[in-house]
Amino acid sequence: MDAYIILLTTASQASIPEIIVRALEDESVYHFGRLLNSPQLVEIEQFAQYGKLLELFSFGVLNDYKTAAAQLPQLSPQQLNKLKHLTLVTLASNEKVLHYDRLIAELDCSSEQEMEDLVIESIYKNILMAKLDQKRRLVEVDFTVGRDVRKQDLPDIFAKLEAWSNTCEEALEKISADIETVNAEAAAKLDDSRNFTNTLQELRSNHVMAAAEGLPRSDSQYESSEYQREAQRVGADAS
């Protein structure tokens, strides 16, 4: 796009339409907002028709062209194909699952094969990531590039971004709280394990001392099978 901006700033008035046509047919260019807002187009009334054409490719879809075709220059086959790609991007931005029948209608395709070819072309041009499900006749969307944005759409975009940011903050707060709970439970289990181990070692020491002094070893709850099982459990938790 930079090359076309430079051309437009240095071009004669007679060559401006040709520059716009070349930009619209360029297979690597899918954003036209900078060209649309260039002073050369804004200030010169005779190029209003081409300004509307740039608006169509910046913000519009194929049905918009059909509605206003009489007020716009006729599209070349390359331009028409690009407008179909941009229409597909708009549809895929709004819905993540698109039915074949709707795409065929919105893209004005004569067959499923033509529609599938448009989707595949868009994928190869990296303006869309999607999967074709021919059995269910669906296009499952993973990603699309963004299109140009009108100034009046910015408040709505900012509101959506703020809502998304708030949702992320709430999720992070919940995750942090969950981590603290898990850490506290782990610390409590570790303390229980240490206390049990210390008590067990103390009892063993007492038994060893009693045996050395020739004192009878009394039955104790710590010699019971229940205690042994508990010892094994705590030992397993500690490990």
Side-chain angles (χ1 to χ4, degrees):
M1 178 54 67
D2 289 340
Y4 295 108
I5 295 294
I6 293 172
L7 283 174
L8 202 60
T9 57
T10 59
S12 64
Q13 291 189 13
S15 62
I16 288 178
E18 180 185 355
I19 294 172
I20 295 173
V21 169
R22 287 170 55 188
L24 293 176
E25 293 182 352
D26 190 329
E27 293 186 356
S28 66
V29 178
Y30 280 89
H31 297 89
F32 305 94
R34 292 171 60 198
L35 206 57
L36 176 63
N37 294 321
S38 62
Q40 288 75 12
L41 286 178
V42 173
E43 296 173 0
I44 302 176
E45 181 66 27
Q46 71 186 81
F47 300 124
Q49 193 178 40
Y50 287 92
K52 291 179 180 179
L53 189 62
L54 283 172
E55 284 185 2
L56 172 69
F57 277 78
S58 296
F59 316 118
V61 294
L62 184 59
N63 283 335
D64 296 327
Y65 173 69
K66 291 180 180 180
T67 301
Q71 290 79 43
L72 295 170
Q74 184 175 359
L75 297 185
S76 67
Q78 296 91 334
Q79 293 169 348
L80 183 60
N81 203 53
K82 177 177 283 190
L83 185 57
K84 290 183 178 183
H85 290 159
L86 291 168
T87 300
L88 177 59
V89 168
T90 295
L91 294 171
S93 298
N94 296 327
E95 299 180 37
K96 297 306 178 186
V97 178
L98 297 166
H99 292 267
Y100 271 34
D101 290 339
R102 183 182 179 194
L103 289 175
I104 290 171
E106 295 283 351
L107 301 177
D108 196 21
C109 297
S110 59
S111 66
E112 288 188 6
Q113 183 62 56
E114 182 183 352
M115 182 275 296
E116 289 177 343
D117 288 345
L118 283 169
V119 174
I120 293 170
E121 289 172 6
S122 299
I123 292 172
Y124 278 114
K125 292 178 181 297
N126 295 318
I127 60 174
L128 173 73
M129 289 179 59
K131 303 180 187 68
L132 290 167
D133 188 336
Q134 294 177 321
K135 184 176 181 180
R136 296 189 297 163
R137 302 179 74 248
L138 299 174
V139 175
E140 298 177 344
V141 180
D142 296 322
F143 164 81
T144 68
V145 297
R147 294 195 61 183
D148 292 300
V149 178
R150 293 184 176 92
K151 289 183 179 180
Q152 57 264 37
D153 294 333
L154 289 177
D156 183 55
I157 293 174
F158 291 150
K160 290 179 179 178
L161 288 173
E162 185 176 2
W164 175 78
S165 176
N166 292 336
T167 300
C168 290
E169 289 180 2
E170 292 173 1
L172 287 173
E173 290 175 0
K174 186 179 184 305
I175 291 171
S176 297
D178 290 343
I179 291 174
E180 290 178 2
T181 300
V182 170
N183 288 340
E185 291 175 352
K189 287 183 178 180
L190 184 59
D191 288 341
D192 289 343
S193 177
R194 287 172 177 170
N195 292 336
F196 181 84
T197 300
N198 292 337
T199 301
L200 185 60
Q201 289 176 347
E202 182 180 352
L203 289 170
R204 286 175 177 170
S205 298
N206 292 340
H207 284 194
V208 170
M209 291 175 60
E213 294 173 0
L215 298 175
R217 295 174 60 182
S218 59
D219 291 338
S220 168
Q221 62 171 325
Y222 298 105
E223 294 176 345
S224 65
S225 59
E226 290 82 358
Y227 179 78
Q228 297 299 328
R229 286 197 295 270
E230 180 67 12
Q232 292 175 357
R233 183 191 67 77
V234 174
D237 289 343
S239 62

